[in-house]
Amino acid sequence: MEVLKIATAGSVDDGKSTLIGRLLYDTKSLTSDKLEAIETKSRQLGYDYLDFSLATDGLVAEREQGITIDVAHIYFSTINKSYIIADTPGHVEYTRNMVTGASTSQAAIVLIDARKGVIEQTSRHFFINNLLRIKTVIVAINKMDLVDFSEEKYNAIKADFETLMNKRDYQDQNITFVPVSALKGDNVVNRSKNTPWYKGETLLENLENIDNQDIYNSGTPRFPVQYVIRPKTEEFHDFRGYAGKVYGGELSVGDAIVVLPSQTKSKIKNIHFYDKKVTMAPRRSSVLITLEDDVNISRGDMIVKEKNQPTVGKQFTATVSWMDSQNLIVGKKYIVQHGVNKVFAKVDQIHHKINPDYSGVDETVDALKMNDIATVSFKLNKPIFYDAFKSHRTNGSFILIDSQSNNTVGAGFIQ
């Protein structure tokens, strides 16, 4: 079954947790004990309705304050797909959580309160989806029940968001607008009689129709080697295979390849998928590859097609989302983890801080604070093999690790 990872985004009280809870309820994905707990807690709070946000907000502080603080991952399935939803916080000070939740997502739901319309946080969340090259974005205009399901209000918000869309640099996004009431269930899973003017699909129908194969970049196959397989048994005495996951494109038997960083050339002899031999490994598949030549390959090396190689270098410039309480400063050293490789890196230059509300850049900064997003250059102690993030989400991204605390302190997207 296909698995679709979704990130939610929205300002405080826009109803993200309630929307997810409604999805779980209407798809009958809530267990009986969880549903009973929601009913009991809703009565205790004096509500005459079920508070579906209780299905996702797990921390006591979240339930008491009615806000989301940490990223929660929620799982549910339909007949067609399995879903993993990252319920991310809406506060400005939790921007780093939004980046974390969206970094592995294939689609996003941006919520807008129909009473408030497009606000600064809407711009920030859309900017992050644009930065992370999230191709499919569903704009859920929520709480339509509080504006009497007004088509005029819906169209006004849609027009404001389309103005925001004109500022993006990633033009290949598929953006859909849906008027919903998460609390009442209108147009979430079931079509609403309150919006006869809306002829589009429900939120769930839009999710069901997303083509998973259309999400990832294609045409640039990358095969980072995770493990070298040497059974050394009587049956497989001289067997040497390379296990990993194919990213960005397809690899086939007979392809002329280059091993990085050694630049050794060979051809793909066989591709094994579990206990079968296949002639082609599609992108996102985990396989084991053997080569026609006895090549010296180690974990962390990369197999690529001879005529489609990445950049090999000891320096790069990237957009960095800073996540640590200790500032990022020029000259400080970190560990860059790029795929399975870890290399030491020094901050060479902070070019400018990017204002995620599309208001421009700030070139006067000399350090990055928590939740800042900036363009930064790094120098590495040894080369890595990378692509620009805009053309290859997997091979163009990395994380920064503090060598002292071993904490992940930043996420980067190579330009």
Side-chain angles (χ1 to χ4, degrees):
M1 183 179 287
E2 290 184 347
V3 177
L4 184 69
K5 298 177 182 177
I6 310 163
T8 59
S11 188
V12 181
D13 293 332
D14 279 353
K16 297 182 299 301
S17 298
T18 302
L19 178 68
I20 296 170
R22 170 60 72 174
L23 271 171
L24 297 176
Y25 180 76
D26 283 356
T27 57
K28 296 179 172 55
S29 300
L30 288 172
T31 58
S32 56
D33 58 331
K34 186 71 173 179
L35 182 56
E36 184 179 343
I38 293 173
E39 292 171 345
T40 301
K41 187 64 177 178
S42 297
R43 284 195 301 268
Q44 290 175 353
L45 294 172
Y47 299 152
D48 58 356
Y49 57 86
L50 295 180
D51 183 2
F52 291 117
S53 68
L54 298 170
T56 60
D57 290 334
L59 300 177
V60 172
E62 291 178 324
R63 295 195 297 268
E64 288 178 347
Q65 299 178 53
I67 62 172
T68 300
I69 297 172
D70 198 6
V71 178
H73 289 89
I74 297 94
Y75 304 80
F76 76 98
S77 298
T78 63
I79 296 174
N80 302 316
K81 285 182 183 176
S82 289
Y83 295 92
I84 304 174
I85 302 182
D87 183 19
T88 60
H91 289 70
V92 174
E93 60 266 32
Y94 296 132
T95 298
R96 65 191 187 281
N97 300 67
M98 170 63 195
V99 173
T100 302
S103 63
T104 58
S105 297
Q106 301 149 320
I109 301 172
V110 176
L111 266 78
I112 298 176
D113 189 325
R115 300 168 301 173
K116 302 174 184 177
V118 175
I119 59 176
E120 182 181 335
Q121 271 295 77
T122 309
S123 300
R124 181 175 285 103
H125 291 143
F126 183 61
F127 173 86
I128 291 172
N129 280 289
N130 183 68
L131 171 67
L132 296 178
R133 293 305 194 258
I134 305 294
K135 190 168 186 178
T136 300
V137 178
I138 299 173
V139 182
I141 301 175
N142 191 28
K143 303 189 179 182
M144 289 297 296
D145 54 308
L146 299 181
V147 294
D148 298 324
F149 296 97
S150 168
E151 181 182 8
E152 182 181 355
K153 184 69 174 177
Y154 168 79
N155 287 332
I157 295 172
K158 183 178 176 181
D160 289 342
F161 196 93
E162 287 171 341
T163 300
L164 185 63
M165 288 164 52
N166 294 331
K167 301 178 181 179
R168 61 185 168 155
D169 63 347
Y170 179 42
Q171 295 293 327
D172 292 336
Q173 284 174 315
N174 301 318
I175 299 178
T176 307
F177 297 86
V178 184
V180 304
S181 169
L183 187 64
K184 306 293 186 181
D186 297 85
N187 292 328
V188 178
V189 172
N190 303 308
R191 290 183 177 273
S192 173
K193 296 179 180 179
N194 295 311
T195 55
W197 43 266
Y198 175 69
K199 306 303 181 184
E201 298 174 323
T202 66
L203 182 69
L204 182 62
E205 287 172 341
N206 275 285
L207 294 176
E208 293 278 271
N209 291 331
I210 294 175
D211 182 1
N212 283 28
Q213 291 300 314
D214 192 40
I215 293 169
Y216 298 99
N217 307 118
S218 61
T220 53
R222 304 287 182 249
F223 187 77
V225 176
Q226 294 278 351
Y227 299 103
V228 179
I229 307 298
R230 289 294 308 276
K232 296 183 180 180
T233 62
E234 285 297 324
E235 186 180 359
F236 301 101
H237 185 74
D238 296 320
F239 185 91
R240 182 190 294 269
Y242 311 103
K245 191 170 186 176
V246 183
Y247 295 100
E250 294 76 33
L251 290 175
S252 301
V253 172
D255 281 345
I257 60 92
V258 173
V259 180
L260 301 174
S262 67
Q263 296 288 338
T264 307
K265 297 182 180 180
S266 186
K267 287 186 177 182
I268 296 177
K269 181 179 181 181
N270 291 306
I271 300 174
H272 300 259
F273 180 76
Y274 188 49
D275 59 348
K276 300 176 182 178
K277 284 186 179 181
V278 295
T279 58
M280 188 271 289
R283 49 192 169 136
R284 311 299 294 180
S285 62
S286 296
V287 296
L288 184 141
I289 289 175
T290 61
L291 303 179
E292 291 186 356
D293 303 286
D294 189 7
V295 178
N296 182 21
I297 299 178
S298 304
R299 170 179 165 85
D301 291 354
M302 182 178 286
I303 297 173
V304 300
K305 287 186 177 181
E306 186 177 351
K307 296 182 179 180
N308 198 338
Q309 299 187 37
T311 302
V312 179
K314 295 176 66 176
Q315 58 185 19
F316 60 75
T317 299
T319 303
V320 172
S321 173
W322 191 244
M323 303 175 178
D324 196 47
S325 57
Q326 299 293 321
N327 291 354
L328 177 144
I329 56 175
V330 173
K332 192 165 182 178
K333 295 180 180 179
Y334 298 95
I335 297 171
V336 165
Q337 177 152 356
H338 176 253
V340 298
N341 286 318
K342 290 183 178 181
V343 299
F344 285 102
K346 183 177 75 172
V347 179
D348 185 50
Q349 183 180 354
I350 300 174
H351 296 273
H352 52 250
K353 188 175 79 169
I354 304 169
N355 298 323
D357 58 358
Y358 289 100
S359 61
V361 299
D362 182 357
E363 298 182 347
T364 63
V365 296
D366 54 7
L368 296 189
K369 300 178 181 179
M370 184 185 292
N371 294 313
D372 281 348
I373 298 174
T375 301
V376 182
S377 290
F378 296 90
K379 289 185 176 180
L380 315 178
N381 72 326
K382 65 177 184 178
I384 61 172
F385 358 102
Y386 62 87
D387 294 280
F389 181 77
K390 65 181 180 182
S391 61
H392 205 296
R393 283 187 70 188
T394 305
N395 203 42
S397 58
F398 62 92
I399 61 172
L400 288 169
I401 301 172
D402 188 298
S403 58
Q404 300 297 318
S405 65
N406 209 35
N407 290 334
T408 299
V409 293
F413 316 98
I414 299 173
Q415 295 183 356

